[in-house]
Amino acid sequence: MSETVKPSGLDRNVVAALQLNGRAPWKQVARAIEANESTVARRGQQLIDSRLVGVTGVLDHLRCGLGISLMVRLRCRPGTASSVARALADLSVTRFVTVVTGSIDVVAEFVVADHRDITRVLAEELPGRDDIVETESMVVVRKFSAFEEWDTGLLGPRASALLRPEGIPSGHRQWQETEQLTEQEFAIAATLAVDGRATYAQIAAEVGVSESTAARRVESLVRRGCLRFRTLFEAPLIGLDVEFMQWFTVEPSELENVGVRLAAEPSTRYVSATTGRFNLCLHGVLAGYGDLYHYMTAVVGALPGVRTADMTLQARTLKRAWIHINPDGTRDPDTRNPHLTRPDPREHRT
């Protein structure tokens, strides 16, 4: 963790508020956490300037016809997990990469046009692929809960009510049709990918439109389920020291029930249904190692229809939401990723 910012109780509350609404003005954050506005603005901006915290706009690739998501589990030759993870993080098609402990060594999320592309990427495009012993790929077919929807639990329901934006689609989403984004909308989304807290005036200046047009376009993208805002930070910053991924094999008749129940757990940051041997994938976080036994027995043990539950602990995450993460938990200011630049929409139409 970076030495430039020592998180206080106020800092944790500010981060928890930004997790609820990454674009909330400091005045709104101060009201929600019942703190002085100038102090909140100063500390919040310090956290952002230190790159321990950031907000990024993320396009929903399924909704926008940009591709499909696959979770890939990899086993590596001894001593090579870190180098494999770095190679994966450097690929433009990976959105998330982490080194884990347990039955596998590395997990990566790919966003590709078609599931057949995974074989090409792993077999032809990955440097040092000889260090990969085994891979297992699973297509994400439904999200029960996304990172953007997670409530840290540090703030009460009053704060959540004050901060959560209204009219934003939440819960598991099944879009029947894809949205065809305009070049202007792609440009706005690219600007917000770099800085999710950019003002409408800043967006307007970057894209070359009026401020009112920028506001309308952003609101439209959000309302249509195309654009969401994710607050990026490492969980230990708010006192949650154990990040894990849980892989479930669930009886098909109980899959919906288990997915919904897990989505409601305070420890769940993300859970989705997938194809393959494991049909549920979960990202979770706990305060400490002492909580693991209770989680495995009281939470997982109470789920109906679970055949297997494989837990892997995250040792180091190298990429989140397309953005590279440094070893000290800061976002890499020199990240170069085509998803953070203005795309040609003709390349993304389906």
Side-chain angles (χ1 to χ4, degrees):
M1 193 63 67
S2 174
E3 297 295 330
T4 58
V5 174
K6 299 293 186 180
S8 64
L10 174 64
D11 293 332
R12 294 188 186 97
N13 286 342
V14 170
V15 175
L18 291 176
Q19 171 61 28
L20 290 170
N21 183 354
R23 284 183 60 80
W26 296 126
K27 181 177 182 179
Q28 187 179 4
V29 172
R31 182 185 172 199
I33 67 176
E34 299 180 336
N36 177 268
E37 181 182 346
S38 61
T39 302
V40 166
R42 176 174 57 82
R43 293 301 294 163
Q45 196 59 51
Q46 286 178 345
L47 287 165
I48 290 173
D49 291 342
S50 72
R51 297 189 177 275
L52 283 171
V53 179
V55 180
T56 181
V58 181
L59 287 176
D60 187 307
H61 52 280
L62 287 174
R63 179 62 163 156
C64 300
L66 301 177
I68 62 171
S69 175
L70 295 96
M71 303 301 300
V72 180
R73 292 163 43 104
L74 303 99
R75 282 200 309 112
C76 308
R77 288 195 305 107
T80 65
S82 293
S83 61
V84 168
R86 286 194 296 270
L88 286 166
D90 287 339
L91 294 177
S92 63
V93 292
T94 54
R95 180 165 61 177
F96 166 79
V97 179
T98 188
V99 177
V100 297
T101 63
S103 59
I104 50 173
D105 303 304
V106 176
V107 177
E109 181 188 9
F110 289 75
V111 177
V112 293
D114 187 276
H115 70 276
R116 299 174 186 86
D117 291 335
I118 284 293
T119 301
R120 173 182 54 79
V121 170
L122 294 178
E124 301 174 11
E125 298 182 6
L126 180 63
R129 55 185 176 271
D130 291 341
D131 291 331
I132 299 173
V133 176
E134 181 182 351
T135 65
E136 185 175 11
S137 303
M138 293 153 282
V139 178
V140 175
V141 293
R142 170 182 280 204
K143 287 183 184 179
F144 292 97
S145 181
F147 282 96
E148 302 92 324
E149 298 160 10
W150 178 54
D151 186 338
T152 65
L154 293 178
L155 308 176
R158 172 185 170 276
S160 182
L162 286 170
L163 289 165
R164 283 293 192 195
E166 296 181 359
I168 296 180
S170 61
H172 53 267
R173 298 170 296 283
Q174 290 181 298
W175 303 113
Q176 299 302 315
E177 299 179 359
T178 59
E179 286 282 332
Q180 301 297 318
L181 270 60
T182 66
E183 184 176 0
Q184 186 181 91
E185 288 174 325
F186 270 113
I188 289 172
T191 299
L192 289 167
V194 176
D195 179 9
R197 289 182 62 82
T199 66
Y200 293 130
Q202 291 171 324
I203 297 169
E206 181 72 22
V207 178
V209 297
S210 69
E211 189 172 338
S212 60
T213 296
R216 287 198 305 272
R217 293 290 184 269
V218 172
E219 291 165 3
S220 174
L221 286 167
V222 172
R223 185 181 65 254
R224 287 148 55 199
C226 299
L227 178 67
R228 312 194 101 201
F229 294 96
R230 179 166 172 191
T231 301
L232 294 172
F233 60 94
E234 297 306 289
L237 188 66
I238 59 171
L240 299 172
D241 291 332
V242 179
E243 286 188 272
F244 63 91
M245 296 188 71
Q246 186 87 54
W247 311 85
F248 295 97
T249 303
V250 183
E251 294 284 352
S253 61
E254 292 288 357
L255 189 59
E256 179 78 9
N257 179 28
V258 171
V260 170
R261 286 177 60 164
L262 285 170
E265 284 292 325
S267 58
T268 298
R269 303 175 77 183
Y270 166 98
V271 61
S272 66
T274 62
T275 63
R277 176 167 61 107
F278 298 107
N279 54 9
L280 272 181
C281 170
L282 178 144
H283 291 253
V285 64
L286 295 167
Y289 295 104
D291 299 308
L292 286 170
Y293 182 78
H294 174 79
Y295 181 84
M296 291 187 294
T297 56
V299 176
V300 176
L303 296 171
V306 174
R307 298 176 187 169
T308 59
D310 180 29
M311 178 178 283
T312 54
L313 303 183
Q314 292 178 224
R316 188 206 157 190
T317 298
L318 290 80
K319 199 173 189 181
R320 297 184 190 274
W322 306 110
I323 296 175
H324 290 233
I325 306 298
N326 295 317
D328 64 355
T330 59
R331 293 172 298 122
D332 188 347
D334 296 322
T335 295
R336 295 290 182 265
N337 193 299
H339 294 275
L340 303 183
T341 59
R342 183 171 183 162
D344 182 348
R346 292 170 298 181
E347 296 178 358
H348 301 288
R349 299 291 172 84
T350 59

